[in-house]
Amino acid sequence: MTELEQEEARLADCDAEAYLRLANAMKEAGIASVTPSYLRKLAEKIRNENAKESG
């Protein structure tokens, strides 16, 4: 697997994790939709958590 393929796989895992966390959070909160601002904040939170785990 090339470095690019590895990076694509890592990003796909991050995306999948983000969607799963979003779906679970929405279910727990009883909401059916979210704002773009909420998605940006969630993405930033996940990026920060992943950065802490990696480095």
Side-chain angles (χ1 to χ4, degrees):
M1 183 179 277
T2 68
E3 187 175 335
L4 178 58
E5 289 171 330
Q6 290 175 343
E7 181 65 10
E8 288 174 344
R10 186 189 67 75
L11 291 173
D13 286 344
C14 289
D15 287 349
E17 178 186 349
Y19 285 122
L20 181 59
R21 289 176 66 178
L22 175 60
N24 288 336
M26 289 174 66
K27 182 178 179 182
E28 289 175 13
I31 56 177
S33 63
V34 295
T35 64
S37 175
Y38 176 81
L39 292 176
R40 283 190 292 275
K41 288 177 185 176
L42 179 62
E44 183 63 28
K45 178 180 176 182
I46 291 170
R47 279 189 213 105
N48 289 338
E49 289 174 0
N50 287 340
K52 288 178 185 176
E53 291 173 5
S54 320

